[in-house]
Amino acid sequence: MQNGYNSNIIPPANNEPTIIKTDVGSKNGQEKCPRCGSTDISTNTNNGKLRCNFCRHEFEPEKVSGMVEDISKLQGQVMGSGATDIVADTNEVLTFKCSSCGAEVVIDTASLSQARCHWCRNTLSVNEQIPNGSIPDVVLPFNINKETAKLEIEKFVGKRKFFAHPKFKEEFTTENIMGVYFPYMIVDVNAHANFIGEGEHQTRKYFRGSGSNQKAYFDADLYHVEREFDLAISGLSVESSLDKLNNIALDKTNNVINAIMPFDVENSVKYNANYLKGYTSEKRDTNIDQLRTIVDTEAKDIARFTANETLKEYDRGVAWSNEQLNVKGQQWKAAYLPVWLYSYQQVNKDKKILHYVAVNARTKETMGSVPIHMPKLIGVSFIVEILGIIAMFLVDFDYSFLFLLSGIIYFLIMFIRYRNANARHTYEIDTKKNITNLRKVDNFIKSEKGLTNSTMNGANNKRVNGETSTSKIFDSFTGQNISNSVINSVTNSSSIASFIKDNIEKGGKE
Ligand SMILES: [Zn+2]
Ligand SMILES: [Zn+2]
């Protein structure tokens, strides 16, 4: 980073937050089908609507009312009543009188939001919010059924059978996959962004020298660049359980659950316990204050990538010296979002790793981690290495020394393809946003000749600050610091390093 770099996020004025009651009209107790009076109501996964399981009557989903719809008008802190701070000494056990037979029914809201009356078998629900994090403002219903999710998981694992651990191959079955509602915060942000810096546009690329001494040179035009705009971000989603926020956990592959975002959160509906019937759910255990830094950092990354859409002519990059995000308003909603989850515990001596394969139960987006049979992968990588060394002597190629790395590169590509340690939610691109009042300054400074770097020195416009470093995760899995040292130090040509990195990233996709 160059000297004088200045970056800040100005939070909204510190007034009392506006709390919008989202459980208006919600009732605890029995909810009866208006047509037949049954209380056996659950989600129809073909369309995500609630349905009476007795007479098949379908309920029209209810939307939460009172939240700010036009994000560009959002001021200060706004939150749904289901997103307010968790109160530690909340009484989590509720006792109801069954309205059909008069019996007492106890529901421990720490783990359940529904219970059946032992005597008359009617279902009783908790729909009114209690401050223990168990009742969110909204829920996004499952609309991918279990059979479809099973197929997606089998397809994903099927493509990764060759190097899969034999014990895993033997034990793999999708019979025990679970439908889980994980807790998230859905955040809207109204902000003003201001970026100031310098950008470079390539005008010429040429070569000097010959044979192995040939070298590439670049000419470029340097500009003073400014971008200032209003930015409305809608539906940014972040995990709100401490466990899932830990994306670099060593004992479980949480990052694959992170990677199946985004969800179509705009289709979320008002919370109703009947949506949870047949699924498990995990309670929220964080408050907005704990998530604020993550949200602010991600909002700023989104602003930077939004600016990039107006910077296409700066093909060598832009080096911002000043980045400012002035947050005028923020709106928070607590949500349950639906995930189909396969999990497998790999035990290797005293080390345990929980591998997940997760399916977004709205979009079918699937990501996972498959345990690797290391002796086989190392063996095949070794053969690739030998072939690479032979190829080095046979092929006339400027960077033929790269063949020396072929075994390691093969190992890395396969490792990432099976374990997906670098998978994450690319929120900086995927989040919905709207940009208005764009002000652009592009002032020519000078032409530069004979540059040796293919990209601008100090360019920082593609930086993602909220990203957990790929190599850090990778190294934590392997227990060795090899990924970056292999990729960066052996090759000092940045274009080759990025070629390898690109291919490793491609290897992990699908
Ligand atoms: Zn009915
Ligand atoms: Zn009863």
Side-chain angles (χ1 to χ4, degrees), residues 352-364:
K352 285 184 184 158
I353 302 175
L354 191 56
H355 295 267
Y356 293 123
V357 182
V359 181
N360 181 319
R362 299 287 299 188
T363 64
K364 279 208 280 190

Side-chain angles (χ1 to χ4, degrees), residues 19 42 73 80 86 100 111 168 197 199 368 449 457 482 488 495-496:
I19 296 168
S42 63
K73 300 255 161 54
I86 293 164
S100 294
S111 54
F168 167 79
K449 301 232 179 291
N457 248 338
I482 54 172
N488 294 332
S495 61
I496 293 174

Side-chain angles (χ1 to χ4, degrees), residues 33-38 52-57:
C33 168
R35 209 202 285 170
C36 74
S38 164
C52 169
N53 291 321
F54 196 72
C55 75
R56 306 268 137 180
H57 170 74

